[in-house]
Amino acid sequence: MTQPKEVETVTTELRESLARVGVVLPSLRPDPVSYEHRYLPPLVELGRCTMDVARRLARALDGAPPCPAEPAAHPRDTVAERLSVATAYVNARSRGERA
């Protein structure tokens, strides 16, 4: 499965799973910057929510089994690196270039 299709699928799966426990994250979507990036994996943007939604999410997670361990992140996969890449992407797009 290609990454753009995969991030759409994962986002849909998460939205449906959250709905089953009564949690709706209105801003849930594939992150548009990472979605188009060639080198970093796409991210799912969870967005903000009300305190009530945060409480329901916390309660739902309290009963959830632990997730399997994820592979170690690439050494360059840091917040600063992602911010740098996102900034470069936005700047390139504003100049009409394909990042």
Side-chain angles (χ1 to χ4, degrees):
M1 188 181 313
T2 63
Q3 284 191 341
K5 178 67 176 161
E6 187 174 7
V7 74
E8 292 283 350
T9 300
V10 168
T11 302
T12 300
E13 290 171 0
L14 179 57
R15 181 177 292 113
E16 291 170 355
S17 294
L18 290 169
R20 283 193 291 276
V21 294
V23 175
V24 176
L25 298 177
S27 303
L28 181 65
R29 66 183 181 149
D31 174 62
V33 174
S34 66
Y35 188 83
E36 292 291 328
H37 197 274
R38 287 186 271 180
Y39 303 109
L40 295 177
L43 301 174
V44 176
E45 188 172 300
L46 301 177
R48 301 183 305 179
C49 64
T50 65
M51 288 189 305
D52 179 55
V53 170
R55 282 187 186 108
R56 282 187 275 137
L57 180 56
R59 287 186 191 121
L61 292 173
D62 281 342
C67 294
E70 290 190 20
H74 186 279
R76 291 184 55 191
D77 192 15
T78 63
V79 173
E81 176 67 19
R82 286 182 184 269
L83 182 57
S84 173
V85 168
T87 302
Y89 174 82
V90 170
N91 290 338
R93 294 294 279 202
S94 69
R95 293 188 303 266
E97 300 171 7
R98 173 97 168 110

